[in-house]
């Protein structure tokens, strides 16, 4: 569960409280993941129950918030998380792949046009991401930039796969649309 | 942060019907106008049609990407747009001048003063410094040396290479060399940039730097740029993407009517 490990990792940098953790988590992940404040408190409660975080005195006490710190055990869990590569796993069933595979043998269907329509939409998504990227400053918006890079690469893979389908079938010899 | 869900529909781009090109910008501001361009190589039954009735208009400040697989005619299109080859049929107008109607010397001058080329092979002269490479086109155009060097330094500053002005190409990284090549293409206020796979030899971050520069040349200098690429992530830097297949325009992208939604 990345939220649990994400909060432990942030607490590794120093004690904090629920709302601040939510703000930091979102800022540090480039705004790619919005946390529900209720989810943050529930997660913190579980971490506290498991002895991974502990309530500490706040230098500026505020009755509305509880400041927590990571325990040695919690620090160990965060370290293990960083040290363990994320499983690449099997991708979820992808509608595009399925659609193209079925289109291969579908009667009365212009496969080249199916591929080109998808390519257009894919490229327009990439254009939208690139517009967002253009507005970012590589020095100050690193997290957001890296997050967009990841998304660009994911969508780019789709565009390249469409090209590859076309190359394998050599349907590119015929115009895709009239 | 990126939770914007606004939908942008730019005028003239909502439809992809042929003939909407001019609606984007005033036809008067088109830097490059290509009309029903046709190029056949060879003759008789061995004739190969590289370009077939291609019409395209690129306005001031616009970056247009031409995308397609190898052999689709995209490099032929760029060569014809730059007056480096002559079409079998059809017309190419650069800032309103029909290339075919120009005398050879006038066409050469138009090419030198208006059009900048950026290729994958950088073609920098190894015996000249970055600044000398950049000022060379101006010197060939008989501009005074001092003036040419001043212009070269100004454009090198624009591409972030002021400190490397006196270095030779071999002392620069691939990305820096390509920035010199772009500076050379821009120098002398050329208004039409023709780029053929300009990031081919670069890693993706350096390649993105090159695309940012092309983008800035359009946004800030008002240059018109045609970028030929087979790479989707690069084409995405363009305002419009034209898809070529077997010498024909088969589709356009760039309407940007769909937002990704963000906040995933």
């Amino acid at each position: 569960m990345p939220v649990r490990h994400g909060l432990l990792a942030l607490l590794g940098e120093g004690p904090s409280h629920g709302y601040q953790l939510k703000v930091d988590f979102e800022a540090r992940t480039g705004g790619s993941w919005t946390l529900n404040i209720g989810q943050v408190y529930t997660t913190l409660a579980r971490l506290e129950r498991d002895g991974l975080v502990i309530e500490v005195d706040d230098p500026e006490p505020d009755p509305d918030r509880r400041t927590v710190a990571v325990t040695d055990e919690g620090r160990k869990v965060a370290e293990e998380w960083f040290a363990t590569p994320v499983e690449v796993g099997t991708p979820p069933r992808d509608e595009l792949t399925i659609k193209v595979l079925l289109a291969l043998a579908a009667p009365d269907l212009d496969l080249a046009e199916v591929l080109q329509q998808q390519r257009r939409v894919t490229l327009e998504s990439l254009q939208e991401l690139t517009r967002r990227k253009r507005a970012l400053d590589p020095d100050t918006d690193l997290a957001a930039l890296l997050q967009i890079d990841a998304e660009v690469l994911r969508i780019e893979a789709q565009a390249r796969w469409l090209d590859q389908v076309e190359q394998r079938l050599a349907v590119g010899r015929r115009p895709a649309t009239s | 942060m990126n939770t914007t869900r606004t939908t942008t529909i730019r005028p003239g781009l909502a439809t992809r019907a042929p003939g909407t090109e001019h609606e984007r910008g005033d036809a008067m501001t088109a830097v490059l106008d290509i009309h029903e361009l046709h190029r056949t190589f060879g003759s008789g039954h061995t004739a190969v049609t590289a370009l077939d009735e291609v019409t395209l208009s690129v306005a001031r400040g616009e970056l247009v990407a031409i995308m397609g697989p190898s052999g689709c005619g995209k490099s032929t299109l760029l060569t014809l747009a730059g007056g480096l080859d002559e079409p079998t049929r059809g017309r190419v107008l650069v800032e309103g001048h029909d290339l075919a109607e120009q005398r050879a010397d006038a066409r050469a001058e138009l090419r030198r003063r208006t059009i900048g080329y950026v290729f994958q092979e950088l073609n920098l002269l190894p015996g000249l410094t970055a600044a000398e490479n950049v000022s060379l086109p101006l010197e060939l155009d008989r501009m005074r040396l001092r003036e040419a060097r001043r212009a070269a330094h100004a454009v090198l500053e624009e591409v972030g290479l002021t400190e490397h002005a006196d270095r030779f190409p071999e002392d620069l990284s691939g990305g820096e060399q390509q920035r010199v090549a772009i500076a050379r293409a821009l120098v002398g206020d050329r208004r039409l940039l023709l780029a053929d796979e300009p990031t081919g030899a670069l890693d993706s971050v350096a390649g993105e730097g090159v695309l940012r520069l092309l983008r800035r040349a359009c946004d800030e200098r008002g240059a018109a740029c045609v970028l030929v690429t087979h790479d989707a992530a690069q084409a995405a830097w363009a305002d419009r993407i034209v898809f070529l297949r077997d010498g024909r325009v088969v589709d356009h992208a760039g309407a940007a009517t769909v937002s990704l939604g963000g906040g995933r």
Side-chain angles (χ1 to χ4, degrees), chain A residues 14 25 31 50 97 102 105 112 116 119 125 135-136 144:
Chain A
F25 185 91
D50 298 342
T97 314
L102 293 176
Q116 178 55 31
R119 181 181 286 110
S125 303
L136 297 174

Side-chain angles (χ1 to χ4, degrees), chain B residues 217-263:
Chain B
C218 296
D219 296 344
E220 291 172 17
R221 283 175 162 253
C225 179
V226 182
L227 166 71
V228 158
T229 183
H230 67 282
D231 184 311
Q234 289 185 21
W237 284 79
D239 299 298
R240 277 188 297 147
I241 302 165
V242 174
F243 296 94
L244 272 192
R245 281 289 181 289
D246 297 319
R248 295 183 74 96
V249 174
V250 294
D251 201 3
H252 297 258
T257 48
V258 184
S259 169
L260 284 181

Side-chain angles (χ1 to χ4, degrees), chain A residues 58-70:
Chain A
D58 196 311
E60 296 166 48
D62 180 338
D64 290 338
R65 69 184 190 207
R66 298 172 67 231
T67 299
V68 293
V70 68

Side-chain angles (χ1 to χ4, degrees), chain B residues 78-86 92 99 107 111 115 117 194:
Chain B
L78 208 67
T79 312
L80 291 170
L84 300 171
D85 180 23
E86 289 178 18
V92 177
L99 291 185
R107 187 163 59 194
R111 271 208 312 254
I115 309 175
Y117 305 87
L194 302 175

Side-chain angles (χ1 to χ4, degrees), chain B residues 79-240:
Chain B
T79 312
L80 291 170
L84 300 171
D85 180 23
E86 289 178 18
T88 312
R89 284 199 306 276
R91 300 198 304 158
V92 177
L93 287 86
V94 175
E95 294 195 317
H97 303 286
D98 189 330
L99 291 185
E101 286 173 6
Q102 305 254 303
R103 284 188 10 219
D105 53 344
R107 187 163 59 194
E109 187 179 306
L110 184 77
R111 271 208 312 254
R112 262 199 325 266
R113 297 199 171 157
T114 311
I115 309 175
Y117 305 87
V118 188
F119 299 106
Q120 183 174 342
E121 296 78 26
L122 308 169
N123 303 315
L124 296 178
L125 295 174
L128 300 183
T129 64
E132 288 163 351
N133 264 289
V134 173
S135 71
L136 187 63
L138 300 180
E139 291 172 44
L140 291 175
D141 205 24
R142 298 195 198 85
M143 186 185 271
R144 273 198 225 130
L145 185 63
R146 177 185 280 203
E147 244 178 284
R149 289 290 156 82
R150 196 181 303 140
H153 279 278
V155 68
L156 279 171
E157 186 182 350
E158 220 175 291
V159 302
L161 284 180
T162 300
E163 283 162 22
H164 298 343
D166 297 323
R167 294 206 186 160
F168 291 94
E170 64 175 7
D171 299 325
L172 299 171
S173 70
E176 287 163 349
Q177 288 184 36
Q178 190 55 291
R179 276 147 73 191
V180 175
I182 290 175
R184 184 185 52 187
L186 286 170
V187 78
D189 191 29
R190 278 172 284 179
R191 276 91 67 197
L192 177 59
L193 276 183
L194 302 175
D196 195 350
E197 304 277 5
T199 70
L202 304 177
D203 67 57
S204 54
V205 174
E208 186 178 303
V210 166
L211 290 160
R212 277 184 194 272
L213 281 182
L214 293 179
R215 192 65 255 183
R216 231 173 61 203
C218 296
D219 296 344
E220 291 172 17
R221 283 175 162 253
C225 179
V226 182
L227 166 71
V228 158
T229 183
H230 67 282
D231 184 311
Q234 289 185 21
W237 284 79
D239 299 298
R240 277 188 297 147

Side-chain angles (χ1 to χ4, degrees), chain A:
Chain A
M1 177 69 180
V3 175
R4 178 180 161 91
H5 291 106
L7 296 184
L8 281 177
L10 284 174
L11 285 167
E13 298 165 19
S16 189
H17 56 85
Y19 181 71
Q20 190 59 46
L21 284 167
K22 167 184 155 67
V23 170
D24 287 346
F25 185 91
E26 289 170 1
R28 295 278 294 277
T29 53
S32 57
W33 194 328
T34 312
L35 289 186
N36 178 321
I37 188 68
Q39 185 186 8
V40 174
Y41 287 127
T42 318
T43 308
L44 282 177
R46 288 193 193 129
L47 288 170
E48 201 170 352
R49 178 198 68 197
D50 298 342
L52 303 179
V53 307
I54 189 167
E55 186 173 359
V56 291
D57 289 337
D58 196 311
E60 296 166 48
D62 180 338
D64 290 338
R65 69 184 190 207
R66 298 172 67 231
T67 299
V68 293
V70 68
T71 62
D72 287 346
E73 187 61 27
R75 210 177 286 276
K76 225 164 76 188
V77 170
E79 278 166 12
E80 274 166 21
W81 180 58
F82 278 125
T84 312
V86 175
E87 285 291 323
V88 176
T90 315
R93 283 195 195 97
D94 177 63
E95 184 182 347
L96 174 62
T97 314
I98 301 297
K99 186 184 283 188
V100 170
L101 294 182
L102 293 176
L104 287 177
D108 303 324
L109 183 71
D110 186 345
L111 177 61
E113 187 167 348
V114 171
L115 295 176
Q116 178 55 31
Q117 278 178 6
Q118 184 63 47
R119 181 181 286 110
R120 186 202 310 134
V121 171
T122 302
L123 261 297
E124 285 175 355
S125 303
L126 277 174
Q127 278 183 303
E128 171 63 24
L129 283 169
T130 306
R131 267 191 286 276
R132 282 193 210 155
K133 197 190 257 198
R134 274 160 62 186
L136 297 174
D137 178 340
D139 293 324
T140 55
D141 304 317
L142 186 62
L145 199 57
L146 290 174
Q147 194 256 324
I148 293 181
D149 280 346
E151 192 74 340
V152 164
L153 287 170
R154 189 181 67 78
I155 299 178
E156 191 189 357
Q158 196 179 72
R160 291 182 60 181
W161 183 72
L162 292 169
D163 290 346
Q164 201 158 329
V165 170
E166 214 170 54
Q167 285 158 18
R168 287 201 194 276
L169 297 172
V171 289
R173 297 191 188 290
R174 299 194 305 270
T177 54
S178 53

Side-chain angles (χ1 to χ4, degrees), chain B residues 35-46:
Chain B
H35 285 285
E36 298 175 0
L37 207 59
H38 195 97
R39 180 70 170 99
T40 305
F41 293 104
S43 59
H45 68 278
T46 58

